[in-house]
């Protein structure tokens, strides 16, 4: 018989934790690339339960200083294109400007895709947080080019908002327009005397409407008409012309001004909200539709509210149908009850991390009716869900649970103790587990996952992180994927990982694969 000491099979050695999370419990640190990816698609530079906005900013700038500029540029592009983020892509672009990166011109054209993004970029650059307060010759030229190539409607959209206003930007960069109408428009924006007839068509129509010379509602961005006195019929007209996102956010306003009492208005609004092409073009977050649904008042017709549910289902079109035995574990602990985009006075979203975690679980259940949903805090919380209910209904039921400490290993321990069959386990959390903290060695989450693996060698674990942290409870390896964010792009990465087409670095690889 062979020497048992030499040839006995030993269990795989689990990696020891190498850092602590924000709750001061043992955890695994993300790589620098993964940290930047995490910050890029979850960081909104607002106060979160565990992180101050200044700490997020410092972390981003530190990672930018450590990593090559091409990866930073691709992270910015991924955050904007796939994650639909606003502040973070502009911040990364501004940081590359401060580094005098040769990638800035190409990246600028991809990230600065609206007047709001333009103003955000200028605001960040002028703040000095990236190391410079002046725009500099190259950024100034890029801003000038955007202003000189934008359509009239894009410029009108850019004129909505302050700090800086479009007038401030124009005064900073002094663009030299080739067209007469553009020159007149810029003069009008900064308050200089201008011949009204030299202004472009939409702007003339806006001024005529504001002065009372015309009663026809101009086809300009809705916000430019917000202070005008409009009839119910005019509000109904606006409902058909305002942008999709503006429509979603102003349903109560339309109801308050009697728009839905105008024959046909409710039907037209419902059709627009549930239009697949419009939902895709709007790049709407599923949680934004959940928020809109929750905030609609009793005066908003049921057909419009139902259309929001339809739009939510459409926005989750990228949720894959996962094979085999699927388990989804949404974290419903106390820290998950904070706004998903952080606290900001006067601008905090009503949607919490727990709402998004519940939304992910409900969406997977819709595509995989046999999936098991195991919400957890200190322990697993038993809940009965009907896979035939709408995603909205199940998400609301899950989000109604909650409180207590965070124990990420709790659902894994229950599965292991029961010897359950598991092919895919999705953990949706802020990763700040502390109830199950151990002094030494691997985290309890890794220990329990290893027990599950002994029963299910083919099983894969996906950890979706809701907040801009730098640690995880489950170390990256071939059967474990850590991914951050709350857009449907996350599901693309999950599907590729579960199908075996990519390994544990798939999320970073997805960013590295971005082209511009």
């Amino acid at each position: 018989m062979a020497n048992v000491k030499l040839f006995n099979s030993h269990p795989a050695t689990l990696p020891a934790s190498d850092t602590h999370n924000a709750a001061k419990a043992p955890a695994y640190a993300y790589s620098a690339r993964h940290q930047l990816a995490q910050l890029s698609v979850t960081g909104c530079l607002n106060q979160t339960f565990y992180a101050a906005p200044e700490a997020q900013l410092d972390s981003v700038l530190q990672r930018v200083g450590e990593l090559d500029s091409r990866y930073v540029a691709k992270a910015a592009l991924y955050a904007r294109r796939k994650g639909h983020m606003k502040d973070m892509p502009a911040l990364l672009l501004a940081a590359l400007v401060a580094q005098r990166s040769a990638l800035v011109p190409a990246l600028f054209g991809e990230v600065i895709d609206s007047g709001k993004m333009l103003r955000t970029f200028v605001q960040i650059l002028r703040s000095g947080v990236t190391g410079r307060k002046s725009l500099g010759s190259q950024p100034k030229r890029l801003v000038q080019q955007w202003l000189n190539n934008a359509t009239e409607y894009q410029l009108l959209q850019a004129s909505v908002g302050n700090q800086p206003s479009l007038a401030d930007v124009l005064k900073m960069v002094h663009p030299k327009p080739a067209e007469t109408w553009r020159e007149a428009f810029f003069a009008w924006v900064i308050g200089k005397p201008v011949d009204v007839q030299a202004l472009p068509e939409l702007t003339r129509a806006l001024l005529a409407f504001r002065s009372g010379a015309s009663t026809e509602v101009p086809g300009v961005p809705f916000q430019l008409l917000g202070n005008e006195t409009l009839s119910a019929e005019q509000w109904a007209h606006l409902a058909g012309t305002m942008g999709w996102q503006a429509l979603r956010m102003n349903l109560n306003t339309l109801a308050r001004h009697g728009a839905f009492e105008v024959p046909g208005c409710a039907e037209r609004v419902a059709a627009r909200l549930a239009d697949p092409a419009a939902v895709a073009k709007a790049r709407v977050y599923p949680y934004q539709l959940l928020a809109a649904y929750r905030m609609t008042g009793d005066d908003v017709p049921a057909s419009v509210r139902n259309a929001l549910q339809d739009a939510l289902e459409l926005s989750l079109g990228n949720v894959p149908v996962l094979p085999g035995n699927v388990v989804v574990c949404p974290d419903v602990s106390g820290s998950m009850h904070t706004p998903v985009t952080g606290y900001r006075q006067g601008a905090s979203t009503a949607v919490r991390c727990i709402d998004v975690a519940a939304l992910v679980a409900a969406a997977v259940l819709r595509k995989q009716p046999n999936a098991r949903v195991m919400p957890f805090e200190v322990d697993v919380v038993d809940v009965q869900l009907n896979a035939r209910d709408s995603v909205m209904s199940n998400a609301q039921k899950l989000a109604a649970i909650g409180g207590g400490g965070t124990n990420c290993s709790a659902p894994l321990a229950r599965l292991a103790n029961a010897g359950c069959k598991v092919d895919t386990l999705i953990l949706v959390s802020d990763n700040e587990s502390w109830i199950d903290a151990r002094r030494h060695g691997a985290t309890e989450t890794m220990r329990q996952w290893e027990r599950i693996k002994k029963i299910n060698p083919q099983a894969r674990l996906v950890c979706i992180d809701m907040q801009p942290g730098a640690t995880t409870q489950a170390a990256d390896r071939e059967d474990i994927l850590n991914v951050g964010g709350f857009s449907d792009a996350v599901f693309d990465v999950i599907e590729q990982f579960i199908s075996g087409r990519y390994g544990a670095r798939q999320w970073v690889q997805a960013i590295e694969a971005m082209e511009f």
Side-chain angles (χ1 to χ4, degrees):
M1 182 175 177
N3 190 320
V4 175
K5 290 185 178 180
L6 290 177
F7 300 109
N8 187 29
S9 60
H10 295 280
T13 302
L14 295 176
S17 58
D18 55 11
T19 188
H20 290 83
N21 60 22
K24 309 302 180 185
Y28 300 99
Y30 290 136
S31 68
R33 290 193 170 211
H34 197 126
Q35 283 186 40
L36 184 64
Q38 176 71 18
L39 289 161
S40 297
V41 299
T42 62
C44 295
L45 300 173
N46 293 324
Q47 179 73 45
T48 67
F49 190 87
Y50 288 104
E54 294 81 6
Q56 294 180 47
L57 176 61
D58 290 344
S59 295
V60 171
L61 296 179
Q62 183 179 350
R63 297 291 87 77
V64 169
E66 295 171 354
L67 297 168
D68 65 276
S69 59
R70 183 161 292 277
Y71 181 79
V72 173
K74 290 183 175 184
L77 190 59
Y78 186 93
R80 183 61 184 150
R81 277 189 189 170
K82 303 292 187 179
H84 312 326
M85 300 295 283
K86 299 178 180 67
D87 292 354
M88 277 297 178
L91 173 61
L92 294 177
L93 176 61
L96 290 177
V97 167
Q99 292 183 352
R100 301 183 183 278
S101 170
L103 299 172
V104 167
L107 183 63
F108 184 96
E110 297 290 341
V111 168
I112 308 303
D113 54 7
S114 70
K116 184 173 183 179
M117 287 298 296
L118 182 80
R119 291 188 295 102
T120 299
F121 168 71
V122 172
Q123 177 189 1
I124 291 173
L125 202 56
R126 291 276 294 174
S127 71
V129 298
T130 61
R132 57 184 295 172
K133 287 193 174 183
S134 64
L135 262 66
S137 57
Q138 184 188 63
K140 182 177 179 180
R141 184 171 62 254
L142 292 170
V143 173
Q144 289 172 339
Q145 289 173 358
W146 191 96
L147 292 168
N148 282 326
N149 289 316
T151 65
E152 180 193 6
Y153 192 85
Q154 288 175 319
L155 290 170
L156 285 167
Q157 283 181 316
S159 70
V160 177
N162 296 297
Q163 296 182 333
S165 65
L166 179 59
D168 295 331
V169 175
L170 288 168
K171 291 174 183 177
M172 288 179 203
V173 302
H174 304 290
K176 294 181 173 56
E179 303 97 333
T180 302
W181 73 262
R182 198 180 299 268
E183 182 177 9
F185 182 90
F186 291 163
W188 171 70
V189 169
I190 64 177
K192 287 186 175 181
V194 63
D195 179 4
V196 173
Q197 295 307 310
L199 289 169
E201 182 179 358
L202 281 177
T203 308
R204 291 199 310 272
L206 173 62
L207 294 179
F209 183 77
R210 284 178 172 177
S211 68
S214 171
T215 58
E216 183 177 351
V217 180
V220 299
F222 159 74
Q223 297 87 337
L224 295 175
L225 300 171
N227 295 325
E228 308 301 326
T229 302
L230 304 176
S231 66
E233 288 74 17
Q234 288 173 322
W235 278 103
H237 174 78
L238 274 179
T241 59
M242 67 174 65
W244 193 93
Q245 289 281 25
L247 181 63
R248 169 185 68 83
M249 293 186 291
N250 286 281
L251 295 175
N252 288 333
T253 301
L254 292 171
R256 187 168 61 251
H257 291 284
F260 293 126
E261 297 173 13
V262 176
C265 180
E267 291 76 11
R268 290 192 295 271
V269 168
R272 284 194 66 198
L273 288 173
D275 178 54
V279 172
K281 184 178 179 181
R283 298 195 294 186
V284 60
Y285 277 139
Y287 82 81
Q288 290 174 319
L289 289 160
L290 177 63
Y293 182 83
R294 284 185 173 179
M295 294 175 68
T296 51
D298 295 337
D299 293 335
V300 176
S303 60
V304 174
R305 291 171 57 84
N306 291 337
L308 287 173
Q309 293 202 55
D310 294 339
L312 176 60
E313 301 281 351
L314 289 168
S315 74
L316 291 168
N318 284 343
V319 179
V321 178
L322 301 175
N325 300 289
V326 179
V327 182
V328 189
C329 305
D331 181 352
V332 295
S333 65
S335 61
M336 292 287 285
H337 286 251
T338 56
V340 70
T341 55
Y343 294 104
R344 189 175 63 180
Q345 188 172 2
S348 294
T349 177
V351 181
R352 305 158 299 170
C353 294
I354 190 174
D355 296 317
V356 179
L359 195 61
V360 171
V364 173
L365 185 64
R366 167 51 62 89
K367 290 295 185 75
Q368 174 56 282
N370 294 322
R372 183 173 180 178
V373 178
M374 300 175 67
F376 69 93
E377 42 172 74
V378 174
D379 202 349
V380 174
V381 181
D382 294 320
V383 62
Q384 295 296 321
L385 300 177
N386 185 345
R388 294 189 176 184
D389 285 349
S390 70
V391 170
M392 195 86 75
S393 298
N394 279 332
Q396 290 177 320
K397 186 178 293 186
L398 284 168
I401 312 168
T406 308
N407 185 359
C408 287
S409 66
L412 281 71
R414 179 173 291 194
L415 291 167
N417 291 341
C420 293
K421 295 295 183 183
V422 178
D423 294 297
T424 301
L425 195 155
I426 301 175
L427 191 75
V428 192
S429 175
D430 59 9
N431 264 332
E432 302 299 342
S433 191
W434 59 274
I435 294 292
D436 56 352
R438 303 179 65 96
R439 285 191 176 185
H440 306 291
T443 62
E444 189 62 21
T445 299
M446 282 297 290
R447 292 173 187 271
Q448 296 302 328
W449 177 243
E450 197 63 25
R451 292 181 62 204
I452 291 174
K453 288 288 289 185
K454 288 181 179 179
I455 305 167
N456 307 276
Q458 81 296 337
R460 288 176 178 257
L461 172 63
V462 177
C463 300
I464 303 178
D465 198 337
M466 290 286 98
Q467 291 286 275
T471 67
T472 178
Q473 289 295 296
D476 283 338
R477 66 184 197 186
E478 286 307 303
D479 60 330
I480 300 175
L481 171 69
N482 284 285
V483 61
F486 33 84
S487 75
D488 59 359
V490 170
F491 293 113
D492 282 337
V493 179
I494 291 175
E495 194 277 329
Q496 293 176 43
F497 174 68
I498 296 304
S499 67
R501 295 201 295 272
Y502 290 96
R505 289 187 65 254
Q506 161 58 10
W507 190 34
V508 171
Q509 290 172 344
I511 293 172
E512 292 171 338
M514 297 297 290
E515 296 181 359
F516 62 95

